[in-house]
């Protein structure tokens, strides 16, 4: 079962299953690719978006990045069953 | 004679490129500008073992050759040999963060296809080792087909090996220009991941320290409180720590003035030197300690990695006026000076957000306003306490900062609805790991800022001060007429006074506002010059504050303060805005809207204060 990275459990790594590139602007998509985001990459929600819509902190591979909510919602992940 | 080979340092942001550049070149650096853009060009020299000189340039960090902001554009153009004012580099040093190998290798692969001689510096290898990561540099070198050298720039480790490898690739250089460039980032990314997984012998546990700190620093409640505390300490320090050094500079200035008076005969030259140059330039240089302290904090926040966290925390607020957390960094720098602030906007990828940030940057209370504020507040606001530890003078100063910020918020909001209307550019930033800053890199950065400021004081500000002194001193007024009204400057001011009189400005203020177009702090020097030229025997030698208190009403003084909160009185800022926006359109918009705000604010202040009977 995949779910959106924006709603993922905190600090539990998962694997990117799909990315909705269509919902992102060209520059957002490019930056995400530059951050190394790709299907099969390990990601983890380090800090969820703030109460009033602040950005989320997400680990992509070995790098932590800030993403706004709609970007984190475009990424679907699969968390391996424990 | 062939010029020394040119080597460019390139790499992802946060790879430790600048630290490596500092380690290789030491203090032998030149900061300039690329023509047409305000991206700074940092160049320096080093020598190979055999003494051959090499010129090094440090290029802005970028994730790929597909630029999304002006500084990334410069990096791409230099690497491809398309940048005006820069020859094609003879070799590249690609700096990669050892603990973020997959990502940084992708850029290495993209650069490799250019066919230029290159060496990979696997930097911050000590941090990677500390995190439990072990990398086989030889395997990596074999897989990439280029020399790989492990370095620790801040500890100066691996530098000799890097120089040797560089000399090697320069000798055997047979550049093979590419036929076509592959622009598919994903392709490079997958290749990078494959190579990295082969070169990495042992996987790390992760960055426990950075994650632990971020848990607190990015916390929704604790985070903003910490940011507020950091900013509070920073602005307190600007005042508290600068008191003593300011005293030394004033002492030196007084001594120079007295020495000049004692050793020169009375006359034109002595007056020019004492009243024009020593007095005028001195009143600006006195300000160096505060600028250095403010930049110290800004450089420290950037070097430790906290600055990006501040941007993260501010993103929600900034989004409210159509900007993003990225704009926070240039705006914070603008509290020191709008010029580096405007230049720092080059890292904002969305053009409209960048333009908005440029247009509101002059509203941040820059350090050039401080002498003006300090003199007026000192003369007109009593040094009483409103509560224990909270003085009225400090409160007024804080209010001036807040007016500037509120003005900027309102201006950004209106601009994003009108002139710079557009979709939000989003907010995506790498949160680098926390690092202990290297003192040496801080010192080099501070020295560069201080040098730029002193150069400005020695050129623009001195020129304007001397010109004003001449215009205010001649023609000499006949008996019974005031020099400040009879002189050329006085007559120009009389014309301007017609416009400024309704908002409470007197003749001297109108006169001071003109040269202060060059730089705000000149207003203080100008008032000093006017009153010392005009001085009657009994007032000679009185401090400027005492003279102002005796001559200006309180509403007039408050109007003058309100004027300086908004007025775009800085030619350098206007020039840098013109260069950044490639034309006169936006600087003119900026000048017009800021002068309009200044006029209205000063007028409302004056009329209100007068009506209240202050």
């Amino acid at each position: 079962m995949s779910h959106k990275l924006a709603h993922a459990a905190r600090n539990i790594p998962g694997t990117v299953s799909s990315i909705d590139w269509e919902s992102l602007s060209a520059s957002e998509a490019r930056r995400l690719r530059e951050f190394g985001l790709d299907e099969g990459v390990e990601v983890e929600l380090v800090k969820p978006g703030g109460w009033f819509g602040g950005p989320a902190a997400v680990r992509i591979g070995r790098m932590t990045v800030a993403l706004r909510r709609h970007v984190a919602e475009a990424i679907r992940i699969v968390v391996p069953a424990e | 004679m062939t010029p020394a080979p040119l080597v460019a340092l390139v790499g992802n942001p946060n790879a430790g490129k600048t630290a490596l550049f500092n380690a290789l070149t030491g203090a032998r650096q030149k900061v300039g500008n690329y023509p047409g853009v305000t991206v700074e060009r940092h160049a320096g020299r080093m020598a190979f073992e055999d003494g051959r000189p090499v010129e090094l340039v440090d290029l802005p960090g970028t994730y790929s050759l597909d630029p999304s902001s002006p500084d990334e554009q410069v990096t791409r153009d230099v690497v491809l040999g398309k940048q005006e004012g820069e020859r094609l580099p003879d070799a590249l040093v690609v700096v990669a963060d050892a603990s973020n190998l997959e990502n940084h290798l992708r850029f290495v692969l993209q650069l490799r296809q250019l066919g230029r001689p290159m060496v990979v510096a696997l930097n911050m290898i000590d941090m990677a080792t500390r995190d439990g990561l072990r990398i086989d540099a030889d395997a990596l070198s074999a897989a990439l087909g280029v020399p790989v050298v492990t370095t620790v720039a801040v500890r100066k480790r691996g530098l000799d090996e890097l120089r040797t490898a560089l000399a090697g690739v320069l000798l055997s250089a047979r550049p093979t220009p590419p036929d076509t460039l592959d622009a598919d980032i994903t392709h490079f990314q997958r290749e990078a991941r494959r190579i990295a997984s082969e070169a990495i012998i042992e996987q790390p546990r992760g960055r426990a320290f950075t994650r632990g700190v971020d848990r607190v620093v990015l916390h929704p409640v604790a985070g903003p409180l910490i940011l507020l505390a950091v900013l509070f300490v920073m602005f307190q320090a600007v005042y508290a720590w600068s008191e003593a050094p300011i005293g030394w500079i004033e002492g030196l200035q007084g001594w120079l003035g007295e020495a000049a008076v004692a050793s020169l005969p009375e006359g034109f030259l002595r007056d020019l030197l004492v009243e024009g140059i020593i007095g005028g330039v001195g009143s600006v240089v006195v300000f160096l300690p505060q600028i250095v302290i403010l930049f110290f904090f800004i450089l420290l926040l950037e070097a430790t990695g906290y600055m990006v966290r501040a941007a993260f925390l501010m993103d929600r607020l900034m989004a409210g006026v159509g900007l993003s957390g990225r704009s926070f960094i240039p705006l914070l720098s603008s509290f020191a000076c709008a010029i580096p602030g405007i230049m720092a906007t080059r890292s904002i990828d969305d053009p409209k957000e960048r333009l908005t940030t440029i247009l509101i940057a002059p509203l941040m209370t820059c350090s050039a306003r401080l002498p003006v504020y300090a003199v007026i507040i000192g003369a007109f606001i009593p040094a009483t306490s409103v509560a224990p530890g909270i003085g009225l003078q400090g409160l007024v100063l804080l209010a001036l900062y807040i007016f500037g910020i509120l003005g900027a918020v309102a201006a950004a909001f209106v601009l994003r609805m009108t002139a710079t209307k557009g979709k939000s550019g989003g907010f995506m930033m790498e949160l680098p790991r926390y690092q202990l800053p290297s003192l040496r890199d801080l010192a080099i950065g501070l020295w560069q800022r201080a040098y730029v400021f002193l150069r400005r004081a020695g050129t623009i500000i001195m020129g304007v001060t001397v010109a004003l002194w001449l215009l205010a001193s001649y023609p000499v007024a006949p008996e019974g007429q005031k020099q400040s009204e009879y002189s050329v400057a006085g007559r120009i001011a009389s014309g301007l006074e017609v416009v400024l009189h309704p908002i409470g400005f007197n003749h001297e203020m109108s006169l001071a506002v003109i040269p202060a177009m060059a730089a705000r702090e000149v207003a203080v020097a100008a008032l000093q010059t006017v009153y010392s030229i005009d001085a009657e025997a009994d007032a000679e030698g009185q401090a400027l504050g005492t003279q102002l208190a005796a001559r200006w009403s309180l509403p007039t003084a408050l109007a003058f303060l309100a004027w300086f909160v908004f007025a775009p009185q800085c030619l350098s800022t206007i020039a840098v805005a013109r260069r950044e926006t490639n034309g006169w359109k936006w600087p003119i918009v900026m000048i017009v809207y800021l002068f309009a705000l200044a006029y209205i604010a000063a007028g409302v202040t004056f009329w209100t204060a007068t009506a209240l009977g202050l």
Side-chain angles (χ1 to χ4, degrees), chain B residues 291-314:
Chain B
I291 291 196
V292 167
I293 294 168
L294 199 51
F295 273 120
F296 167 76
F297 276 93
I298 286 174
L299 290 171
L300 189 71
L301 293 183
E302 282 184 345
T304 51
Y306 183 75
M307 195 63 115
V308 180
R309 273 69 182 188
F312 184 98
L313 291 168
M314 293 302 289

Side-chain angles (χ1 to χ4, degrees), chain A residues 34-35 44 52 62 64 66, chain B residues 64 99 102 211 316 429 431:
Chain A
E34 287 178 344
F35 284 158
E44 175 185 347
F52 305 103
R62 249 184 274 277
T64 307
Chain B
S64 72
S99 28
E102 293 91 340
R211 296 192 69 154
R316 179 64 196 91
M429 257 182 125
L431 299 169

Side-chain angles (χ1 to χ4, degrees), chain A residues 11 28 30-36 38 41 44 47 52-56 62-68, chain B residues 64 66 68 72 99-100 102-103 106 186 190 193 200 203-204 207 211 218 315-316 424 428-429 431:
Chain A
N11 296 330
E28 284 168 341
R30 178 181 51 207
R31 226 343 85 93
L32 263 192
R33 285 196 174 99
E34 287 178 344
F35 284 158
D38 190 6
V41 170
E44 175 185 347
K47 185 203 170 290
F52 305 103
R62 249 184 274 277
M63 190 158 115
T64 307
V65 299
L67 302 177
R68 279 193 181 161
Chain B
S64 72
D66 187 7
S68 54
E72 295 183 4
S99 28
N100 199 352
E102 293 91 340
N103 216 310
R106 186 197 56 232
T186 308
R190 292 186 178 158
R193 274 212 302 277
I200 292 176
Q203 286 283 345
R207 296 169 182 174
R211 296 192 69 154
L218 299 181
D315 182 58
R316 179 64 196 91
S424 162
M428 296 167 96
M429 257 182 125
L431 299 169

Side-chain angles (χ1 to χ4, degrees), chain B residues 132-158:
Chain B
L133 185 74
R134 280 183 56 219
I135 299 167
D136 183 346
D138 294 332
L140 192 59
S141 176
L144 290 170
V146 296
V148 175
V149 179
T150 56
T151 55
V152 183
V154 290
R155 309 253 170 280
K156 296 191 148 196
R157 272 175 21 210

Side-chain angles (χ1 to χ4, degrees), chain B residues 175-505:
Chain B
T176 45
D179 309 326
T180 49
L181 289 184
D182 186 351
D184 183 2
I185 296 179
T186 308
H187 167 211
F188 288 120
Q189 183 65 53
R190 292 186 178 158
E191 175 77 356
R193 274 212 302 277
R194 188 186 60 74
I195 295 179
S197 68
E198 281 168 15
I200 292 176
I201 303 167
E202 214 175 291
Q203 286 283 345
R205 298 175 300 273
R207 296 169 182 174
F209 177 74
T210 290
R211 296 192 69 154
V213 175
D214 272 344
R215 208 181 304 268
V216 181
V217 163
L218 299 181
H219 188 272
V221 178
L225 289 177
I226 293 170
L227 176 60
L228 214 59
V230 167
L231 295 180
F232 180 78
V233 168
M234 178 167 133
F235 284 110
Q236 278 294 309
V238 165
Y239 292 95
W241 299 358
S242 63
E243 236 168 80
I246 286 179
W248 305 331
I249 295 175
E250 280 173 347
L252 180 70
Q253 187 192 343
W255 178 83
L256 277 176
E258 280 164 26
V261 168
S263 57
L264 286 171
E266 198 168 323
F268 170 78
L269 192 67
R270 189 174 93 178
D271 287 350
L272 173 69
L273 197 66
V274 176
E275 291 173 10
I277 298 177
I278 299 178
V281 176
S283 61
V284 177
V285 171
V286 91
F287 220 30
L288 181 66
Q290 294 184 330
I291 291 196
V292 167
I293 294 168
L294 199 51
F295 273 120
F296 167 76
F297 276 93
I298 286 174
L299 290 171
L300 189 71
L301 293 183
E302 282 184 345
T304 51
Y306 183 75
M307 195 63 115
V308 180
R309 273 69 182 188
F312 184 98
L313 291 168
M314 293 302 289
D315 182 58
R316 179 64 196 91
L317 270 180
M318 306 291 287
V321 292
L323 296 175
S324 82
R326 264 185 195 273
S327 295
F328 177 72
I329 300 172
L331 292 176
L332 187 63
S333 298
S334 299
F335 279 109
C337 175
I339 296 158
I342 287 176
M343 288 172 59
T345 62
R346 63 194 181 207
S347 66
I348 302 175
D349 25 12
D350 185 79
K352 294 208 165 136
E353 285 190 17
R354 178 158 166 268
L355 181 59
T356 311
T357 312
I358 291 173
L359 292 176
I360 65 168
L363 282 169
M364 300 295 118
T365 300
C366 70
S367 47
R369 286 173 173 96
L370 284 177
V372 181
Y373 290 175
V375 163
I376 307 286
I377 289 176
F380 290 93
I381 308 297
T384 50
S385 289
V386 287
I390 302 175
L392 185 59
Q393 293 187 335
L395 215 56
V396 171
L397 186 68
L398 180 68
L400 293 171
Y401 271 91
I402 291 172
F403 282 136
I405 296 169
L406 292 179
V409 166
F413 187 74
V414 172
L415 284 167
R416 288 294 273 158
M417 303 280 265
T418 54
T420 58
K421 196 172 176 159
K423 207 171 159 283
S424 162
F427 176 66
M428 296 167 96
M429 257 182 125
E430 182 179 347
L431 299 169
R433 80 167 98 68
Y434 291 102
Q435 286 190 69
L436 264 184
S438 123
L439 276 181
R440 167 202 166 78
D441 291 342
L442 272 181
I444 289 176
L446 267 188
W447 160 245
Q448 286 171 350
R449 301 290 158 218
Y451 175 75
V452 168
F453 173 75
L454 287 176
R455 189 174 60 189
R456 205 161 83 95
T459 52
I460 301 179
I461 293 174
M462 181 159 97
V464 172
T465 313
V466 169
L468 173 74
W469 181 82
L470 286 171
L471 289 177
S473 300
Y474 297 93
V476 176
E479 197 67 35
Q481 293 237 34
K482 280 176 93 176
Q483 179 63 37
S484 65
E485 285 177 10
Y486 192 79
S487 62
V488 178
R491 292 173 205 189
I492 300 172
S494 300
L496 190 64
E497 198 187 344
V498 178
V499 186
L500 296 179
H501 186 70
I503 59 168
F505 281 28

Side-chain angles (χ1 to χ4, degrees), chain B residues 41-116:
Chain B
R41 178 184 187 271
H42 288 258
R45 288 200 159 240
M46 66 166 197
F48 283 140
E49 222 168 29
D50 57 7
R52 264 185 308 149
V54 184
E55 191 182 4
L56 244 69
V57 282
D58 182 19
L59 297 177
T62 177
Y63 291 103
S64 72
L65 287 177
D66 187 7
S68 54
S69 65
D71 51 352
E72 295 183 4
Q73 176 92 38
V74 164
T75 300
R76 192 196 67 160
D77 289 349
V78 170
V79 166
L80 296 178
K82 288 181 184 165
Q83 174 66 45
E84 191 193 338
E86 190 80 275
R87 58 202 159 102
L88 177 68
D90 297 288
L92 304 176
V93 172
V94 189
V95 189
D97 176 0
S99 28
N100 199 352
L101 198 57
E102 293 91 340
N103 216 310
H104 288 206
L105 266 189
R106 186 197 56 232
F107 192 33
V108 173
L109 290 171
Q110 200 179 14
L111 287 167
R112 190 185 63 172
Q113 66 165 348
L114 299 176
R116 307 294 306 163

